[in-house]
Amino acid sequence: MWEQAIMDAVEKTKRNIGLFPMKFPHITAEKRYEWGESNDWIEGFYTGMIWLCYEYTKDPLFRDTAIAQLEDYKARLEEKRHLDHHDIGFLYLPSALASWIVDEHKEGKQLALKAADHLMLRWREEGQYIQAWGRKGDEKNGGRIIIDCMMNIPLLYWAYDQTGDESYKRVAVAHAEKSRRYLMRGDDSSYHTFYFQPSDGKPIGGGTHQGYHDGSTWTRGQAWAIYGFALSYRYTRDLKYLETAVRAARYFNEHLPEDHVAYWDFDVSIEAGTPRDSSASAIAACGMLEILEHLEEEDGNKGLLTDAVEKSMISLVNHYSTIGEAAEEGLIKHGSYYVRGGIGPDDYMIWGDYYYLEALLRLTEGIPGYWYERG
Ligand code: GLY
């Protein structure tokens, strides 16, 4: 079953490359991708999928495409184009670092290091966090952190490992600490965002942007927490991050509906037509597979998380995938980007496709994606 799903993903990715050469998928409201230039936070997932396909098939078309796309990432960084945000890890890990991991592409490694420096520009010393959105001093966003950033800081941990420059690690660890302390709640759920006073970092309160309401648990945010804290554990070996990841995963699993695939927010009322976010479940599956690499055999969470991954991946493959629908561009249906904002509810999400394929390859081949170098 997993192999069939992987082969379907490989074929669809190959077809997309042929139909839309050197273009990147954008989110639309039309249950299809719109193909255009690289100008968002999401392009890395497409390039990452292409690297996953290359690792699985060794078909040079995938490698040549992913390497050619690197020019775009390079130009974007040189021109500082659409990079005024913290999603630099999402962009440069599955593209630039991936090229180094898979193909020993030296230019990719240099590019990933430059991207880490760019992410460092968002460090706010006064508050000891990485500012998510907006420019420094921005009235609305100046004191804002968001849970998604836990997936961006691996770029800094990695840069520290490469260079020995302590500043990358100091920033990554301080940000992880802030996120653990303020974005995670006592019942193991999470805020999407938290605000601090920009001048002195005094905490103000939690909120949301893409979730249902300020105190709700946005399912994708919870999934970013699972995977992000698990990766902080991988890099730092600080057990509190592993514990946070496990607790976030248990919360996620305990609040799933019967078919084991998340709705877009855990606190939204479930009615006919309430959108799912299949991408949250694909991310959570990868996060749990990462956690499973670190748990001792006798840890009771091992069985729980193994079972949870299997159930949600079976559901994604059987009920959400586009297997057998050759003309579809996406891999899993029913993702949701920003439901209250009316953008992409119930649609393909390129990160959903990426993490779905990463989970399938983790399950079958032990290929763990591009968030760290393999030892
Ligand atoms: N990082 C933005 C999102 O998950 O929608």
Side-chain angles (χ1 to χ4, degrees), residues 41 86-87 90 133 146 148 192 210 218 220 224 337 351:
W41 65 280
H86 69 149
D87 284 330
F90 281 134
W133 300 323
I146 71 172
D148 323 24
H192 179 198
Q210 280 149 283
W218 178 48
R220 193 159 66 253
W224 293 137
Y337 182 37
W351 57 88

Side-chain angles (χ1 to χ4, degrees), residues 20 27 30 38 158 175 187 199 268 297 308 324 352 364 371-373:
F20 312 103
I27 303 157
E30 292 166 34
S38 163
W158 171 80
H175 187 81
D187 65 350
S199 53
V268 78
E297 257 340 292
T364 53
W371 314 101
Y372 52 86
E373 279 201 43

Side-chain angles (χ1 to χ4, degrees), residues 238-265:
D238 186 334
L239 273 170
K240 67 176 178 273
Y241 296 133
L242 186 58
E243 190 198 327
T244 303
V246 169
R247 287 168 58 168
R250 290 184 62 134
Y251 184 96
F252 191 96
N253 296 328
E254 282 159 16
H255 290 80
L256 285 177
E258 267 176 30
D259 80 346
H260 308 283
V261 172
Y263 285 94
W264 66 281
D265 191 292

